[in-house]
Amino acid sequence: MQQEPVTRTTLADHRLPSGTAFDHVEVRRITLAPSVQPGAHTHSGPVFGVIESGSAHVQLAGEPERVLRAGDTFYEPGDSTILRFDATDEGVTFLGWFPLPAGAAPEIAMGHADTDDPTATA
């Protein structure tokens, strides 16, 4: 059996809020040492990512916790609380894509977003 020379597989398809516009996308490689637990946080805009190596416990407000491993993709909506993005005991390295409006840089705020219920543990 002959293998196709090119294959394309959709790993994720995320709908963004109506009227979303971006000027540029910043891509970062981020590494969390083993067992690092940054705590609840929000981003100023959406973040798209893929785990390169290791694994992480991830939980967004209102969603169940899951473990992401190498090759898994993720989406963090802007201005929503990420309750957990905690490295497992092996640590984690991931690529994050930050779409940004003109003149903006990615921002992170520690703690819960004003629009989220800070007691939510889903």
Side-chain angles (χ1 to χ4, degrees):
M1 181 173 179
Q2 188 175 13
Q3 181 177 352
E4 292 294 320
V6 177
T7 59
R8 292 176 177 86
T9 305
T10 300
L11 299 179
D13 182 9
H14 303 288
R15 300 289 177 220
L16 299 177
S18 163
T20 302
F22 303 110
D23 174 72
H24 65 284
V25 177
E26 184 172 305
V27 181
R28 294 180 176 184
R29 176 174 284 116
I30 300 169
T31 299
L32 300 178
S35 303
V36 167
Q37 300 178 6
H41 63 279
T42 60
H43 295 279
S44 56
V47 178
F48 301 89
V50 62
I51 305 295
E52 280 193 309
S53 63
S55 56
H57 297 277
V58 177
Q59 184 177 17
L60 282 70
E63 296 185 12
E65 179 184 322
R66 57 197 172 120
V67 175
L68 299 178
R69 293 179 170 76
D72 290 340
T73 64
F74 62 90
Y75 166 63
E76 298 175 348
D79 300 321
S80 291
T81 300
I82 292 76
L83 297 171
R84 294 186 72 189
F85 201 110
D86 301 341
T88 63
D89 60 358
E90 64 184 331
V92 66
T93 297
F94 60 94
L95 296 177
W97 284 262
F98 299 80
L100 300 160
E107 295 179 13
I108 188 170
M110 300 311 292
H112 294 269
D114 293 337
T115 57
D116 291 328
D117 177 358
T119 61
T121 57

